Amino acid sequence: MSIKVGILSSGAWGTAMGKQIAQKGIDVQMWDFMEDVVNDINKNHKNSRYLANITLPKKMTASTDIEKVVQGKDFIIIATPSLYLIDTVKKIEKTKDIQNGEPVIGIITKGFFPSSSGPRLIVSTLEDILPDSYKDSLVYISGPSHAEEVATNKLTGLISACINAKNSIKFRELLSSKSLFVFSSIDVVGVQTCAATKNVIAIAFGMLDAIKEKSEIFGDNTESLLLAAGLNEIQKIGHALGATHPETFTSISGVGDLDVTCRSIHGRNRRFGHDIINKNIIDQFSSIEDLIKNIDKLGYLPEGVVAAKYLNQIKDSHKLKLPISSAVYKILNKEKSPQSALAALIGSPADMIREELI
């Protein structure tokens, strides 16, 4: 029996993942609410809106009917951006196959969600929406993997994390190819934490990188200082939230993903940091809440903006010292200018970041 895969959201990352799977001769059906994207995939074998100049396999099709995309699939991959994720999952929770727990579900979205007890990670949030059969069975997939490179078959590593080891292996086998190395993990909390929090560090990195171009003080050494301190913050947050394996943070899901997110030209969060300095892009917003509410005005989606809001709450509830994440939050919330916040963070004598590295 042939394998069938449904992917919810035809953004760059979902499309790149679908292309990798379809290249193996597996039927992949994408869902998107935008008819122009769906028509482009079906008629032209392209997704010009999100992955220009990439030809998609004929095994990839698309539909605006989300129930059709879910029905009869062996695997479902949820790729919807975090701001719209819950609404998307609620559209499929009552479908027959989901109610029967038939498809294995993987998640490639990054971020946190609000709750009465504070910010929560994606897997536990979706477990409360989906049928009980998905408890401890959702697979979280992450790693240093910009869609632009995955789509062009650049060698890439991913982590497939699930408490149910069999499901982790199922996704590992589905995704593994000549250009995708996939490794299993049971540290679902740790892998999710790395994926969500590295975007905040990347915003700071982007700002520093822009300032560095005109600075006699900041250089490549300074950026590595920031990256190392950022990794320590990610570890601190992971431990507070219940990560189980220290090596998660020194693997590709931790230091690997942080490095590529901060340094790659493809990174939206790094780009956003650059735009804060070079284009004064946040001057049009009055606060972080105003920015999140009107984030479409940016023309792209830096998910670290929403994560910064939730990390500020996690910092307070767990009594953590998170100087980099806090600086990003204060900048986005218009409490400090980017220059003053970064000067306080990494300027001489850099007491705050030095404390983070010790």
Side-chain angles (χ1 to χ4, degrees):
M1 185 177 66
S2 62
I3 296 172
K4 294 184 178 181
V5 178
I7 299 181
L8 307 186
S9 183
S10 298
W13 187 207
T15 302
M17 186 72 81
K19 179 177 182 287
Q20 281 288 326
I21 298 168
Q23 284 175 172
K24 299 169 66 174
I26 296 171
D27 290 319
V28 174
Q29 189 172 38
M30 311 289 296
W31 168 79
D32 206 285
F33 66 91
M34 291 182 287
E35 289 189 5
D36 63 320
V37 173
V38 169
N39 291 336
D40 198 18
I41 293 172
N42 289 333
K43 296 178 180 179
N44 306 317
H45 306 295
K46 299 275 189 180
N47 187 342
S48 304
R49 180 185 289 266
Y50 295 110
L51 280 178
N53 303 318
I54 299 295
T55 300
L56 303 176
K58 292 182 179 179
K59 283 283 187 177
M60 284 183 72
T61 59
S63 174
T64 57
D65 185 341
I66 195 168
E67 293 188 8
K68 178 181 177 182
V69 171
V70 170
Q71 189 67 26
K73 302 301 190 294
D74 302 287
F75 294 87
I76 298 295
I77 297 176
I78 301 174
T80 311
S82 60
L83 283 173
Y84 318 110
L85 181 62
I86 290 179
D87 287 342
T88 298
V89 174
K90 285 183 176 180
K91 290 177 182 177
I92 68 169
E93 64 168 317
K94 299 297 184 183
T95 60
K96 179 182 176 182
D97 285 4
I98 297 297
Q99 283 294 309
N100 292 337
E102 292 177 5
V104 184
I105 296 179
I107 305 157
I108 59 177
T109 304
K110 303 170 177 65
F112 297 97
F113 291 104
S115 76
S116 58
S117 58
R120 298 178 68 194
L121 291 164
I122 287 176
V123 168
S124 58
T125 301
L126 297 192
E127 283 179 341
D128 287 347
I129 300 173
L130 293 166
D132 291 343
S133 58
Y134 286 103
K135 176 72 174 176
D136 294 335
S137 293
L138 297 175
V139 182
Y140 193 80
I141 302 155
S142 186
S145 50
H146 283 300
E148 295 83 355
E149 294 196 352
V150 172
T152 54
N153 300 318
K154 295 288 194 299
L155 191 62
T156 299
L158 294 173
I159 297 288
S160 170
C162 187
I163 294 174
N164 181 333
K166 289 183 178 179
N167 282 0
S168 171
I169 292 169
K170 285 179 180 178
F171 260 102
R172 186 183 72 194
E173 293 175 346
L174 174 71
L175 299 176
S176 293
S177 67
K178 291 181 180 179
S179 59
L180 274 186
F181 291 174
V182 186
F183 306 89
S184 293
S185 171
I186 59 171
D187 188 7
V188 182
V189 170
V191 174
Q192 288 182 92
T193 301
C194 291
T197 56
K198 51 97 177 183
N199 288 328
V200 180
I201 306 301
I203 293 174
F205 193 97
M207 287 189 285
L208 177 62
D209 195 55
I211 292 174
K212 184 188 74 171
E213 297 171 359
K214 302 177 182 178
S215 172
E216 296 180 357
I217 300 173
F218 299 151
D220 292 346
N221 296 343
T222 323
E223 289 184 338
S224 290
L225 176 67
L226 176 66
L227 192 147
L231 180 62
N232 279 353
E233 279 198 20
I234 292 171
Q235 288 180 299
K236 190 179 295 185
I237 296 162
H239 293 151
L241 295 180
T244 56
H245 289 63
E247 60 268 25
T248 296
F249 302 96
T250 55
S251 75
I252 58 173
S253 63
V255 66
D257 204 3
L258 176 64
D259 178 71
V260 78
T261 304
C262 287
R263 298 190 187 278
S264 174
I265 60 171
H266 302 302
R268 292 188 301 272
N269 294 280
R270 171 197 164 113
R271 173 187 171 185
F272 179 61
H274 263 261
D275 288 348
I276 289 173
I277 302 300
N278 292 333
K279 297 182 179 180
N280 300 314
I281 199 169
I282 62 172
D283 285 1
Q284 60 188 306
F285 307 106
S286 61
S287 66
I288 192 169
E289 293 292 347
D290 185 36
L291 171 56
I292 292 170
K293 182 180 178 180
N294 297 287
I295 203 162
D296 289 346
K297 292 182 179 180
L298 297 178
Y300 58 96
L301 183 58
E303 297 218 21
V305 171
V306 181
K309 169 188 172 180
Y310 292 131
L311 284 187
N312 190 61
Q313 296 174 13
I314 290 170
K315 170 185 70 71
D316 292 341
S317 62
H318 289 275
K319 296 180 172 55
L320 302 175
K321 290 184 178 181
L322 305 175
I324 301 173
S325 304
S326 297
V328 172
Y329 175 82
K330 289 176 181 178
I331 291 168
L332 300 183
N333 204 38
K334 313 307 281 288
E335 297 176 27
K336 284 190 174 183
S337 70
Q339 290 78 6
S340 64
L342 287 174
L345 185 65
I346 309 184
S348 180
D351 291 333
M352 293 177 71
I353 200 166
R354 182 180 294 119
E355 180 179 337
E356 185 64 25
L357 285 165
I358 294 174

